Amino acid sequence: MTEQDIIDFFRDAMSAGVIMVAPMMIVALIVGLIVGVLQALTSVQETTLTFAPKLVVMLIVFWITVGSMGRTLVTFFDSRVIPMIAGE
């Protein structure tokens, strides 16, 4: 295994991780911005008001996208990890 193989492996691993996490992070960002604007408009500075909506929405998005996350992870293992272990 060469240094380039290791770099390619970690690049693929990072891209698979970003693909799996991106939907939840984007939704958390959007909900955080909306709640922040609402807090600024109403002068309500409650910390649970920012945490609870993000948690609920992220759980919903996770539940919706868990299938595609699993497929991405299985594809990564089938195409990169298992051949690397097998020495192919």
Side-chain angles (χ1 to χ4, degrees):
M1 177 181 292
T2 66
E3 187 176 302
Q4 188 62 39
D5 292 337
I6 294 171
I7 291 170
D8 289 340
F9 175 77
F10 281 112
R11 184 182 306 122
D12 291 344
M14 293 298 289
S15 67
V18 167
I19 289 169
M20 290 189 307
V21 173
M24 289 194 313
M25 296 306 289
I26 291 169
V27 169
L29 175 69
I30 292 169
V31 171
L33 287 173
I34 291 170
V35 170
V37 167
L38 289 175
Q39 280 185 325
L41 290 174
T42 60
S43 299
V44 175
Q45 297 301 324
E46 181 66 31
T47 55
T48 57
L49 189 60
T50 60
F51 179 72
K54 277 195 259 185
L55 179 65
V56 169
V57 171
M58 285 179 67
L59 285 173
I60 291 169
V61 170
F62 176 76
W63 181 65
I64 291 170
T65 61
V66 72
S68 66
M69 288 182 201
R71 282 189 299 278
T72 301
L73 196 57
V74 167
T75 302
F76 174 69
F77 268 80
D78 284 344
S79 66
R80 296 294 293 169
V81 176
I82 293 174
M84 186 177 283
I85 292 171
E88 295 176 4

